Amino acid sequence: MSLERTVTLVPEAGLHARPASKFVEAVNDHEAEISIGRPGEDPVQANSMIAVTSLGIDHGDEVHLVADGEDAEAALDELERILTTPEEEAAT
């Protein structure tokens, strides 16, 4: 079963560098196929740092996540937490 979620990005730096690294690490920690993209655009595989950063997603942009697999809901919960936590809070 495929689960979907749309999230507004909070980290000031957008989905670049540290937030993207944490995001991709979390994707790879789960038993689910996950994709990410802007709503209405073709998504990319979320387990690739290059693919994720190439989206150019900035603070305040919406992203659409799709997860399919054993722990899809847990994966989406963790990814939403990463995407909606200000970077200064995530660093602590």
Side-chain angles (χ1 to χ4, degrees):
M1 178 173 79
S2 189
L3 299 175
E4 300 182 24
R5 201 171 290 178
T6 301
V7 178
T8 301
L9 195 71
V10 171
E12 290 290 328
L15 198 50
H16 306 284
R18 187 176 295 127
S21 176
K22 284 185 176 188
F23 179 86
V24 172
E25 275 183 38
V27 168
N28 290 318
D29 286 344
H30 290 279
E31 295 296 322
E33 291 290 321
I34 302 168
S35 62
I36 182 173
R38 295 174 187 274
E41 294 183 6
D42 290 335
V44 300
Q45 290 301 312
N47 63 350
S48 165
M49 182 75 170
I50 293 170
V52 169
T53 56
S54 73
L55 291 170
I57 296 171
D58 292 318
H59 169 78
D61 289 350
E62 282 193 337
V63 293
H64 187 73
L65 302 169
V66 179
D68 188 15
E70 279 183 38
D71 62 350
E73 188 167 8
L76 289 179
D77 288 346
E78 182 174 358
L79 297 174
E80 180 175 3
R81 182 187 55 75
I82 290 168
L83 296 174
T84 59
T85 301
E87 196 170 353
E88 60 274 6
E89 288 181 28
T92 59

XYZ file of all heavy atoms in Angstrom:
683
model
N 0.840 -1.188 0.000
C 0.000 0.000 0.000
C 0.884 1.249 0.000
O 1.850 1.346 0.737
C -0.904 0.003 1.226
C -1.772 1.228 1.314
S -2.973 1.159 2.643
C -1.955 1.571 4.039
N 0.509 2.168 -0.825
C 1.268 3.406 -0.956
C 0.631 4.502 -0.107
O -0.583 4.666 -0.117
C 1.273 3.811 -2.436
O 2.137 4.870 -2.656
N 1.465 5.221 0.635
C 1.000 6.338 1.457
C 1.602 7.620 0.918
O 2.736 7.634 0.445
C 1.417 6.147 2.910
C 0.872 4.914 3.625
C 1.471 4.807 5.020
C -0.645 4.971 3.709
N 0.845 8.701 1.010
C 1.310 9.989 0.511
C 1.128 11.062 1.567
O 0.238 10.977 2.398
C 0.520 10.390 -0.740
C 0.645 9.400 -1.867
C -0.098 9.842 -3.114
O -0.327 11.052 -3.289
O -0.439 8.954 -3.913
N 1.997 12.070 1.495
C 1.910 13.191 2.433
C 2.518 14.421 1.781
O 3.531 14.324 1.106
C 2.678 12.832 3.697
C 2.264 13.646 4.897
C 2.893 13.124 6.162
N 2.334 11.835 6.557
C 2.742 11.145 7.602
N 3.719 11.595 8.363
N 2.196 9.986 7.915
N 1.886 15.567 1.996
C 2.439 16.838 1.527
C 2.861 17.644 2.747
O 2.105 17.767 3.705
C 1.414 17.619 0.677
O 1.055 16.805 -0.447
C 1.993 18.923 0.180
N 4.097 18.171 2.696
C 4.700 18.845 3.841
C 5.295 20.173 3.381
O 5.836 20.255 2.281
C 5.824 17.960 4.442
C 6.512 18.640 5.592
C 5.288 16.606 4.846
N 5.198 21.202 4.226
C 5.855 22.481 3.947
C 7.211 22.495 4.641
O 7.308 22.256 5.842
C 4.984 23.656 4.437
O 3.715 23.588 3.777
C 5.650 24.989 4.119
N 8.244 22.776 3.865
C 9.621 22.731 4.365
C 9.909 23.896 5.303
O 9.657 25.053 4.965
C 10.590 22.765 3.186
C 12.010 22.373 3.506
C 12.079 20.874 3.774
C 12.921 22.726 2.370
N 10.457 23.598 6.486
C 10.728 24.609 7.497
C 12.191 25.055 7.559
O 12.459 26.242 7.726
C 10.242 24.126 8.888
C 10.715 25.061 9.991
C 8.725 24.009 8.889
N 13.194 24.142 7.448
C 14.585 24.604 7.605
C 14.914 25.784 6.685
O 14.580 25.771 5.494
C 15.418 23.374 7.234
C 14.523 22.218 7.564
C 13.135 22.703 7.206
N 15.539 26.823 7.262
C 15.854 28.046 6.520
C 16.710 27.786 5.285
O 16.584 28.465 4.286
C 16.576 29.047 7.436
C 15.699 29.653 8.509
C 14.656 30.620 7.962
O 14.909 31.284 6.948
O 13.575 30.700 8.562
N 17.595 26.786 5.356
C 18.493 26.494 4.237
C 17.800 25.701 3.135
O 18.392 25.437 2.100
C 19.709 25.716 4.730
N 16.540 25.334 3.356
C 15.858 24.495 2.382
C 16.355 23.066 2.495
O 16.937 22.667 3.496
N 16.120 22.302 1.454
C 16.524 20.894 1.472
C 17.889 20.759 0.806
O 18.055 20.216 -0.273
C 15.473 20.026 0.772
C 15.514 18.530 1.071
C 15.571 18.258 2.563
C 14.311 17.846 0.478
N 18.883 21.349 1.467
C 20.256 21.347 0.985
C 21.158 20.944 2.139
O 20.785 21.046 3.301
C 20.655 22.754 0.502
C 19.715 23.303 -0.508
N 19.706 22.902 -1.810
C 18.707 24.202 -0.394
C 18.747 23.545 -2.472
N 18.129 24.336 -1.625
N 22.356 20.500 1.843
C 23.395 20.212 2.826
C 22.895 19.376 4.000
O 22.462 18.250 3.807
C 24.067 21.492 3.290
N 22.947 19.922 5.212
C 22.638 19.143 6.411
C 21.205 18.588 6.423
O 21.017 17.395 6.671
C 22.910 19.955 7.675
C 22.752 19.113 8.943
C 23.114 19.875 10.203
N 24.522 20.208 10.196
C 24.989 21.442 10.378
N 24.180 22.456 10.580
N 26.280 21.668 10.371
N 20.173 19.401 6.160
C 18.821 18.827 6.170
C 18.653 17.713 5.135
O 18.022 16.699 5.407
C 17.906 20.012 5.858
C 18.699 21.220 6.230
C 20.126 20.857 5.981
N 19.243 17.870 3.957
C 19.126 16.839 2.917
C 19.859 15.569 3.345
O 19.381 14.459 3.107
C 19.670 17.353 1.590
N 21.000 15.726 3.986
C 21.761 14.575 4.460
C 20.960 13.792 5.496
O 20.862 12.564 5.428
C 23.087 15.042 5.055
O 23.793 13.955 5.593
N 20.369 14.497 6.457
C 19.535 13.842 7.474
C 18.337 13.157 6.826
O 17.955 12.057 7.207
C 19.052 14.857 8.519
C 20.114 15.261 9.496
C 19.528 16.150 10.563
C 20.595 16.477 11.589
N 20.073 17.160 12.735
N 17.741 13.826 5.850
C 16.581 13.289 5.152
C 16.941 11.975 4.445
O 16.264 10.960 4.616
C 16.073 14.335 4.145
C 14.896 13.880 3.343
C 13.611 14.025 3.825
C 15.069 13.305 2.091
C 12.515 13.603 3.082
C 13.994 12.882 1.337
C 12.710 13.028 1.837
N 18.017 11.986 3.666
C 18.425 10.792 2.912
C 18.830 9.662 3.856
O 18.484 8.494 3.621
C 19.547 11.131 1.905
C 20.117 9.868 1.273
C 19.024 12.076 0.829
N 19.524 9.984 4.947
C 19.871 8.961 5.952
C 18.609 8.298 6.500
O 18.554 7.077 6.643
C 20.636 9.595 7.116
C 22.113 9.734 6.899
C 22.797 10.312 8.131
O 22.399 9.970 9.275
O 23.729 11.109 7.953
N 17.605 9.114 6.814
C 16.349 8.577 7.351
C 15.657 7.695 6.324
O 15.106 6.645 6.667
C 15.437 9.718 7.795
N 15.665 8.106 5.065
C 15.069 7.292 4.000
C 15.735 5.919 3.976
O 15.062 4.884 3.923
C 15.214 7.984 2.627
C 14.880 7.024 1.489
C 14.319 9.226 2.552
N 17.052 5.904 4.028
C 17.798 4.650 3.933
C 17.678 3.775 5.175
O 18.005 2.587 5.127
C 19.268 4.937 3.591
C 19.419 5.440 2.177
O 18.792 4.935 1.252
N 20.244 6.455 1.997
N 17.181 4.334 6.277
C 16.973 3.564 7.507
C 15.652 2.802 7.504
O 15.372 2.047 8.437
C 17.009 4.482 8.735
C 18.410 4.943 9.090
O 19.380 4.332 8.592
O 18.532 5.916 9.856
N 14.822 3.013 6.503
C 13.483 2.404 6.476
C 13.344 1.391 5.350
O 14.012 1.490 4.327
C 12.416 3.490 6.342
C 12.278 4.319 7.580
N 11.551 3.916 8.667
C 12.804 5.507 7.916
C 11.631 4.832 9.619
N 12.396 5.812 9.184
N 12.444 0.436 5.582
C 12.124 -0.589 4.588
C 10.938 -0.117 3.749
O 9.856 -0.668 3.813
C 11.775 -1.915 5.292
C 12.926 -2.519 6.050
C 14.080 -2.920 5.138
O 13.826 -3.397 4.026
O 15.242 -2.725 5.544
N 11.180 0.933 2.973
C 10.130 1.478 2.115
C 10.779 2.158 0.920
O 11.883 2.696 1.030
C 9.273 2.481 2.887
N 10.091 2.105 -0.211
C 10.501 2.871 -1.386
C 9.886 4.248 -1.230
O 8.661 4.370 -1.079
C 9.981 2.205 -2.664
C 10.638 0.885 -2.983
C 12.089 1.050 -3.414
O 12.385 2.021 -4.140
O 12.916 0.224 -3.000
N 10.710 5.284 -1.256
C 10.212 6.638 -0.992
C 10.630 7.560 -2.119
O 11.775 7.525 -2.570
C 10.749 7.159 0.359
C 10.335 6.195 1.477
C 10.254 8.575 0.637
C 11.021 6.426 2.794
N 9.677 8.393 -2.547
C 9.997 9.411 -3.543
C 9.570 10.772 -3.005
O 8.733 10.880 -2.113
C 9.315 9.110 -4.884
O 7.913 9.110 -4.742
N 10.196 11.809 -3.557
C 9.922 13.182 -3.133
C 9.904 14.072 -4.363
O 10.649 13.857 -5.319
C 10.986 13.680 -2.119
C 10.671 15.102 -1.643
C 12.389 13.563 -2.691
C 11.574 15.610 -0.530
N 9.031 15.063 -4.328
C 8.977 16.028 -5.416
C 8.075 17.177 -5.051
O 7.403 17.167 -4.013
N 8.051 18.162 -5.917
C 7.112 19.263 -5.733
C 5.739 18.771 -6.180
O 5.647 17.992 -7.130
C 7.524 20.460 -6.580
C 8.849 21.074 -6.168
C 9.247 22.168 -7.172
N 10.582 22.657 -6.912
C 10.876 23.627 -6.059
N 9.908 24.189 -5.373
N 12.116 24.015 -5.883
N 4.672 19.209 -5.522
C 3.339 18.782 -5.947
C 3.121 19.085 -7.430
O 3.448 20.169 -7.906
C 2.396 19.610 -5.064
C 3.216 19.908 -3.845
C 4.622 20.085 -4.349
N 2.634 18.091 -8.157
C 2.348 18.270 -9.565
C 3.530 18.040 -10.495
O 3.386 18.108 -11.714
N 4.714 17.775 -9.940
C 5.897 17.510 -10.757
C 6.328 16.064 -10.568
O 5.917 15.392 -9.629
C 7.044 18.452 -10.374
C 6.762 19.907 -10.693
C 7.938 20.823 -10.384
O 9.028 20.322 -10.028
O 7.751 22.046 -10.472
N 7.189 15.584 -11.472
C 7.698 14.218 -11.360
C 8.594 14.091 -10.136
O 9.517 14.888 -9.962
C 8.493 13.837 -12.611
C 7.607 13.666 -13.835
O 6.403 13.373 -13.656
O 8.112 13.815 -14.953
N 8.343 13.093 -9.294
C 9.177 12.897 -8.101
C 10.487 12.206 -8.450
O 10.648 11.643 -9.534
C 8.305 11.999 -7.227
C 7.489 11.216 -8.200
C 7.241 12.145 -9.367
N 11.432 12.254 -7.502
C 12.712 11.554 -7.622
C 12.818 10.564 -6.468
O 12.110 10.677 -5.466
C 13.916 12.533 -7.588
C 13.831 13.527 -8.740
C 14.011 13.266 -6.256
N 13.716 9.602 -6.609
C 13.962 8.645 -5.530
C 14.597 9.390 -4.358
O 15.601 10.077 -4.527
C 14.858 7.511 -6.007
C 14.176 6.585 -6.988
C 12.929 5.946 -6.387
O 12.950 5.430 -5.275
N 11.838 6.005 -7.121
N 14.015 9.233 -3.181
C 14.457 9.995 -2.009
C 15.716 9.423 -1.357
O 16.243 10.026 -0.439
C 13.325 10.068 -0.987
N 16.217 8.294 -1.841
C 17.421 7.720 -1.242
C 18.697 8.230 -1.900
O 19.777 7.789 -1.566
C 17.368 6.191 -1.275
C 17.334 5.645 -2.683
O 17.171 6.377 -3.655
N 17.465 4.339 -2.800
N 18.572 9.179 -2.808
C 19.732 9.741 -3.506
C 19.947 11.197 -3.111
O 19.104 12.052 -3.380
C 19.521 9.648 -5.018
O 20.445 10.473 -5.704
N 21.088 11.476 -2.491
C 21.413 12.850 -2.079
C 21.426 13.788 -3.287
O 20.901 14.901 -3.223
C 22.776 12.834 -1.370
C 23.219 14.167 -0.856
S 22.320 14.613 0.626
C 23.249 16.036 1.123
N 22.002 13.338 -4.390
C 22.078 14.174 -5.597
C 20.679 14.478 -6.121
O 20.363 15.622 -6.451
C 22.955 13.500 -6.675
C 24.402 13.457 -6.198
C 22.835 14.224 -8.007
C 25.322 12.620 -7.056
N 19.817 13.455 -6.180
C 18.462 13.660 -6.682
C 17.683 14.617 -5.782
O 16.994 15.528 -6.275
C 17.732 12.320 -6.800
N 17.802 14.431 -4.471
C 17.061 15.266 -3.517
C 17.523 16.721 -3.591
O 16.700 17.643 -3.681
C 17.190 14.701 -2.079
C 16.651 15.689 -1.051
C 16.468 13.366 -1.970
N 18.823 16.961 -3.590
C 19.309 18.341 -3.624
C 19.070 18.993 -4.984
O 18.927 20.204 -5.067
C 20.798 18.440 -3.243
O 21.567 17.607 -4.100
C 21.016 18.050 -1.795
N 18.983 18.186 -6.049
C 18.749 18.756 -7.381
C 17.342 19.327 -7.528
O 17.080 20.094 -8.461
C 18.994 17.711 -8.469
O 17.941 16.757 -8.496
N 16.443 18.987 -6.616
C 15.081 19.530 -6.673
C 15.060 21.029 -6.365
O 14.129 21.727 -6.746
C 14.163 18.792 -5.688
C 13.843 17.343 -6.024
C 13.129 16.682 -4.847
C 13.012 17.249 -7.288
N 16.062 21.521 -5.649
C 16.127 22.945 -5.318
C 14.982 23.405 -4.440
O 14.445 24.495 -4.606
N 14.617 22.585 -3.473
C 13.497 22.909 -2.586
C 13.975 23.863 -1.498
O 14.963 23.605 -0.811
C 12.899 21.621 -1.998
C 12.323 20.775 -3.139
C 11.841 21.947 -0.965
C 11.895 19.401 -2.731
N 13.252 24.963 -1.351
C 13.631 26.014 -0.406
C 12.651 26.116 0.757
O 11.546 25.563 0.719
C 13.686 27.371 -1.129
C 14.819 27.431 -2.136
O 15.923 26.955 -1.825
O 14.583 27.945 -3.248
N 13.059 26.862 1.773
C 12.219 27.147 2.944
C 10.846 27.626 2.476
O 10.738 28.508 1.618
C 12.902 28.221 3.805
C 12.033 28.774 4.880
N 11.785 28.098 6.047
C 11.344 29.929 4.958
C 10.981 28.831 6.801
N 10.708 29.944 6.161
N 9.793 27.021 3.011
C 8.430 27.425 2.683
C 7.826 26.701 1.491
O 6.624 26.810 1.252
N 8.640 25.959 0.726
C 8.115 25.188 -0.406
C 7.384 23.952 0.102
O 7.733 23.388 1.139
C 9.243 24.721 -1.336
C 9.880 25.850 -2.130
O 9.342 26.978 -2.112
O 10.920 25.590 -2.759
N 6.391 23.513 -0.665
C 5.716 22.262 -0.352
C 6.418 21.124 -1.072
O 6.881 21.290 -2.203
C 4.257 22.302 -0.797
C 3.359 23.064 0.124
C 1.888 22.819 -0.193
O 1.550 22.435 -1.329
O 1.073 23.017 0.725
N 6.503 19.979 -0.406
C 7.025 18.766 -1.032
C 5.998 17.659 -0.860
O 5.261 17.611 0.123
C 8.384 18.319 -0.449
C 9.464 19.317 -0.781
C 8.313 18.074 1.034
N 5.956 16.799 -1.855
C 5.041 15.661 -1.840
C 5.873 14.400 -1.650
O 6.808 14.155 -2.413
C 4.259 15.615 -3.159
C 3.184 14.591 -3.169
N 2.016 14.741 -2.464
C 3.115 13.390 -3.781
C 1.264 13.672 -2.661
N 1.910 12.832 -3.449
N 5.560 13.638 -0.616
C 6.263 12.395 -0.313
C 5.349 11.214 -0.603
O 4.152 11.263 -0.296
C 6.648 12.351 1.167
C 7.526 13.479 1.703
C 7.573 13.428 3.222
C 8.915 13.372 1.120
N 5.917 10.170 -1.186
C 5.186 8.927 -1.413
C 6.053 7.798 -0.880
O 7.237 7.717 -1.215
C 4.882 8.697 -2.908
C 4.148 7.378 -3.112
C 4.064 9.847 -3.481
N 5.473 6.949 -0.040
C 6.203 5.818 0.534
C 5.398 4.547 0.322
O 4.182 4.527 0.491
C 6.445 6.039 2.024
N 6.106 3.496 -0.054
C 5.472 2.207 -0.294
C 6.368 1.133 0.308
O 7.532 1.016 -0.068
C 5.317 1.988 -1.801
C 4.492 0.762 -2.128
O 3.799 0.247 -1.223
O 4.550 0.300 -3.280
N 5.843 0.382 1.276
C 6.639 -0.669 1.891
C 6.208 -0.953 3.309
O 5.238 -0.377 3.817
N 6.970 -1.849 3.955
C 6.646 -2.331 5.297
C 6.396 -1.225 6.310
O 5.425 -1.254 7.048
C 7.779 -3.209 5.825
C 7.757 -4.618 5.336
C 8.870 -5.424 5.970
O 9.160 -5.225 7.172
O 9.443 -6.249 5.256
N 7.315 -0.289 6.387
C 7.178 0.759 7.407
C 6.985 2.137 6.782
O 7.546 3.127 7.226
C 8.348 0.729 8.385
C 9.693 1.001 7.735
O 9.764 1.027 6.490
O 10.671 1.194 8.470
N 6.138 2.184 5.751
C 5.896 3.439 5.027
C 5.396 4.546 5.955
O 5.867 5.678 5.878
C 4.900 3.205 3.890
N 4.469 4.217 6.851
C 3.930 5.253 7.738
C 4.986 5.780 8.700
O 5.114 6.987 8.903
C 2.723 4.733 8.513
C 2.034 5.834 9.294
C 0.668 5.425 9.822
O 0.286 4.247 9.729
O -0.022 6.313 10.335
N 5.788 4.898 9.275
C 6.860 5.329 10.179
C 7.878 6.180 9.424
O 8.378 7.177 9.950
C 7.540 4.117 10.808
N 8.175 5.788 8.197
C 9.115 6.560 7.377
C 8.577 7.964 7.128
O 9.298 8.953 7.305
C 9.380 5.848 6.055
N 7.312 8.061 6.729
C 6.724 9.383 6.475
C 6.684 10.228 7.739
O 6.930 11.437 7.685
C 5.326 9.245 5.873
C 5.262 8.746 4.436
C 3.814 8.641 3.981
C 6.059 9.626 3.495
N 6.402 9.608 8.883
C 6.394 10.355 10.149
C 7.769 10.958 10.430
O 7.881 12.133 10.782
C 5.989 9.445 11.316
C 4.516 9.075 11.304
O 3.724 9.717 10.572
O 4.162 8.113 12.027
N 8.821 10.146 10.262
C 10.167 10.640 10.541
C 10.586 11.705 9.528
O 11.164 12.733 9.883
C 11.191 9.507 10.550
C 12.576 10.012 10.898
C 13.608 8.923 11.075
O 13.277 7.723 10.976
O 14.767 9.290 11.323
N 10.278 11.486 8.261
C 10.653 12.457 7.228
C 9.913 13.772 7.421
O 10.498 14.844 7.255
C 10.400 11.873 5.841
C 11.242 10.638 5.518
C 10.823 10.045 4.186
C 12.727 10.941 5.546
N 8.644 13.701 7.799
C 7.895 14.930 8.063
C 8.528 15.689 9.233
O 8.668 16.912 9.188
C 6.427 14.628 8.370
C 5.624 15.879 8.638
C 4.138 15.626 8.819
O 3.699 14.462 8.806
O 3.411 16.623 8.976
N 8.948 14.971 10.273
C 9.598 15.617 11.419
C 10.872 16.340 10.964
O 11.117 17.481 11.349
C 9.921 14.579 12.497
C 10.559 15.178 13.738
C 11.030 14.113 14.709
N 11.939 13.140 14.134
C 13.224 13.369 13.850
N 13.754 14.559 14.094
N 13.977 12.427 13.329
N 11.675 15.694 10.128
C 12.910 16.308 9.638
C 12.599 17.555 8.812
O 13.240 18.602 8.966
C 13.724 15.296 8.811
C 14.283 14.211 9.737
C 14.857 15.989 8.045
C 14.845 13.004 9.003
N 11.605 17.458 7.962
C 11.280 18.564 7.052
C 10.597 19.743 7.740
O 10.602 20.846 7.220
C 10.404 18.071 5.896
C 11.050 17.042 4.966
C 10.028 16.541 3.955
C 12.276 17.618 4.269
N 10.005 19.497 8.908
C 9.266 20.564 9.584
C 9.962 21.071 10.852
O 9.386 21.865 11.591
C 7.837 20.113 9.949
O 7.901 18.971 10.805
C 7.024 19.789 8.704
N 11.188 20.623 11.090
C 11.948 21.071 12.262
C 12.960 22.110 11.828
O 13.766 21.853 10.925
C 12.677 19.881 12.922
O 11.712 18.906 13.315
C 13.464 20.339 14.142
N 12.937 23.311 12.436
C 13.950 24.322 12.098
C 15.351 23.738 12.290
O 15.588 22.961 13.224
C 13.678 25.447 13.088
C 12.248 25.268 13.475
C 12.011 23.781 13.449
N 16.268 24.115 11.408
C 17.605 23.531 11.431
C 18.319 23.722 12.761
O 19.001 22.830 13.248
C 18.451 24.106 10.287
C 19.683 23.287 10.011
C 20.383 23.695 8.737
O 19.855 24.520 7.982
O 21.475 23.179 8.511
N 18.145 24.882 13.402
C 18.822 25.118 14.677
C 18.303 24.175 15.758
O 19.056 23.767 16.641
C 18.722 26.568 15.120
C 17.316 27.090 15.329
C 16.654 27.621 14.053
O 17.234 27.484 12.971
O 15.535 28.161 14.159
N 17.031 23.761 15.702
C 16.497 22.783 16.668
C 16.979 21.385 16.338
O 17.253 20.590 17.220
C 14.976 22.808 16.666
C 14.380 24.030 17.311
C 12.869 23.987 17.302
O 12.282 22.893 17.311
O 12.266 25.077 17.275
N 17.102 21.074 15.051
C 17.536 19.744 14.625
C 18.990 19.492 15.002
O 19.404 18.365 15.215
C 17.353 19.581 13.122
N 19.779 20.555 15.104
C 21.210 20.409 15.399
C 21.477 20.109 16.865
O 22.545 19.659 17.226
C 21.946 21.698 14.999
N 20.489 20.354 17.715
C 20.697 20.140 19.148
C 20.395 18.728 19.564
O 19.749 17.993 18.919
C 19.859 21.107 19.986
O 18.487 20.915 19.669
C 20.286 22.520 19.792
